[in-house]
């Protein structure tokens, strides 16, 4: 009986972390200047949590057209909240995905 309770509490914490990580990524994206979120759909593909650190892989797809891009977010838990501390194109990303976005760090490149 105690095992089932501990398992249920552990699963709830994991779900809560994943929800908080998704919310943190949304907050990060909504605060990015020059990013038009209304023209794309996004889907969190994978979240991995290791203590106070997490990685999340998010796929962005144009609503009109076939362009797609995956971005990996690095997050840290700070005072009970998750915060995005870094982003980078996901390894294995097709550079010719059709998203027509400048490479990170180039002039005019926004932070996704």
């Amino acid at each position: 009986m105690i095992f089932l309770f501990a398992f249920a509490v552990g699963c709830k914490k994991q779900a809560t972390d994943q929800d908080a990580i998704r919310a943190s990524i949304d907050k990060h994206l909504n605060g990015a200047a020059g990013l038009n979120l209304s023209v794309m759909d996004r889907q969190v593909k994978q979240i991995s949590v290791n203590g106070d650190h997490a990685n999340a892989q998010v796929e962005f797809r144009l609503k009109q057209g076939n362009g797609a891009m995956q971005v990996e977010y690095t997050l840290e838990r700070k005072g009970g909240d998750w915060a995005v501390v870094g982003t980078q194109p996901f390894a294995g990303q097709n550079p010719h995905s059709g998203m027509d976005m400048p490479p990170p760090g180039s002039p005019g490149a926004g932070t996704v």
Side-chain angles (χ1 to χ4, degrees), residues 49-106:
V49 177
N50 186 7
D52 288 339
H53 302 277
N55 291 319
Q57 295 163 2
V58 180
E59 181 178 78
F60 295 87
R61 292 197 165 275
L62 290 174
K63 289 181 179 180
Q64 300 292 322
N66 61 358
M69 174 176 77
Q70 289 191 10
V71 177
E72 182 171 8
Y73 291 86
T74 304
L75 300 98
E76 286 184 9
R77 188 187 331 253
K78 297 181 179 184
D81 292 328
W82 288 97
V84 173
V85 295
T87 63
Q88 66 181 12
F90 185 64
Q93 177 73 31
N94 177 1
H96 304 291
S97 65
M99 285 292 282
D100 197 28
M101 296 181 73
S106 66

Side-chain angles (χ1 to χ4, degrees), residues 39-60:
V39 299
M40 61 185 103
D41 291 320
R42 65 184 176 273
Q43 179 182 9
V44 177
K45 294 291 209 174
Q46 181 179 353
I47 296 174
S48 60
V49 177
N50 186 7
D52 288 339
H53 302 277
N55 291 319
Q57 295 163 2
V58 180
E59 181 178 78
F60 295 87

